[in-house]
Amino acid sequence: MTTDQTASEQVVLLDETKAPSGVADKATVHTNYTPLHLAFSCYVIDSDGRVLVTRRALTKLTFPGVWTNSMCGHPGPGETPEEALVRRGTEELGMSATDFVSVECILPDFEYRAADSAGVVEWEVCPVFVARVAPGARIEFAPDEVDAFEWVSARALIEGVQATPFAFSPWIGEQLSHAPLREALLGF
């Protein structure tokens, strides 16, 4: 995604009941006073049962250079998290809609708040998905989003996050602390 696209992208703000309460430019919403807003996280699983993990680009505003789940994003106004997931799959990972065999929401009410070392805050209601991709699905990541990626076993991912939490995004650690997500990943 180019800087012009990021500047025009809108995120959905949420009130204290987690209901939509407005929109804001994505380029301006993440600060040290980030308002609660809607997002999503996704763990992509290949036909061999491996999980795609990505290292966030060093140019990212929040949590640059940390390893995290396959992709994240923000649904725009009128867009469902599932629709945003497919859109971000294309923008961030170079996947097409036909690459996704199934998409399942595992943690529909996940919410987290975290600040990075620069003080920039992420505060999101962030449904967590597991998406299976077709055999042969290729990754062509956007370098302004992803610095590197690896396909790993779910067990290796869980153990890696537990052993070296500082190398990973705070949300992946919180998400993997929930049994339904661990069970879904280990079940492939």
Side-chain angles (χ1 to χ4, degrees):
M1 178 177 292
T2 67
T3 303
D4 290 340
Q5 289 171 313
T6 302
S8 63
E9 186 177 352
Q10 300 280 294
V11 299
V12 177
L13 302 176
L14 303 174
D15 65 18
E16 62 279 348
T17 68
K18 300 179 181 52
S21 63
V23 298
D25 287 336
K26 179 183 171 190
T28 63
V29 77
H30 294 101
T31 67
N32 55 341
Y33 299 106
T34 301
L36 182 63
H37 59 281
L38 184 60
F40 75 87
S41 282
C42 181
Y43 293 77
V44 173
I45 308 293
D46 73 4
S47 58
D48 294 323
R50 298 175 304 169
V51 182
L52 175 68
V53 292
T54 59
R55 183 172 185 245
R56 292 171 61 85
L58 297 174
T59 56
K60 297 288 281 181
L61 175 64
T62 59
F63 299 95
V66 300
W67 286 91
T68 195
N69 53 293
S70 308
M71 65 174 158
C72 299
H74 300 88
E79 185 179 42
T80 67
E82 293 86 353
E83 291 167 338
L85 182 154
V86 172
R87 174 178 54 83
R88 291 299 295 160
T90 300
E91 295 170 352
E92 195 167 325
L93 302 176
M95 296 181 151
S96 69
T98 59
D99 286 327
F100 294 101
V101 174
S102 66
V103 175
E104 181 181 1
C105 187
I106 305 297
L107 301 174
D109 300 317
F110 180 77
E111 178 182 343
Y112 76 97
R113 187 177 191 283
D116 69 11
S117 60
V120 179
V121 173
E122 289 274 12
W123 187 21
E124 300 175 337
V125 170
C126 185
V128 179
F129 295 85
V130 171
R132 294 194 66 177
V133 293
R138 292 183 24 193
I139 303 296
E140 294 182 28
F141 63 84
D144 59 336
E145 296 288 341
V146 176
D147 180 65
F149 70 90
E150 294 289 332
W151 290 99
V152 300
S153 73
R155 186 158 312 285
L157 174 60
I158 292 165
E159 290 172 357
V161 171
Q162 290 172 341
T164 57
F166 54 84
F168 292 89
S169 69
W171 58 89
I172 195 172
E174 288 186 42
Q175 291 167 356
L176 290 173
S177 73
H178 293 270
L181 179 59
R182 285 193 315 274
E183 291 165 5
L185 295 175
L186 291 168
F188 285 97

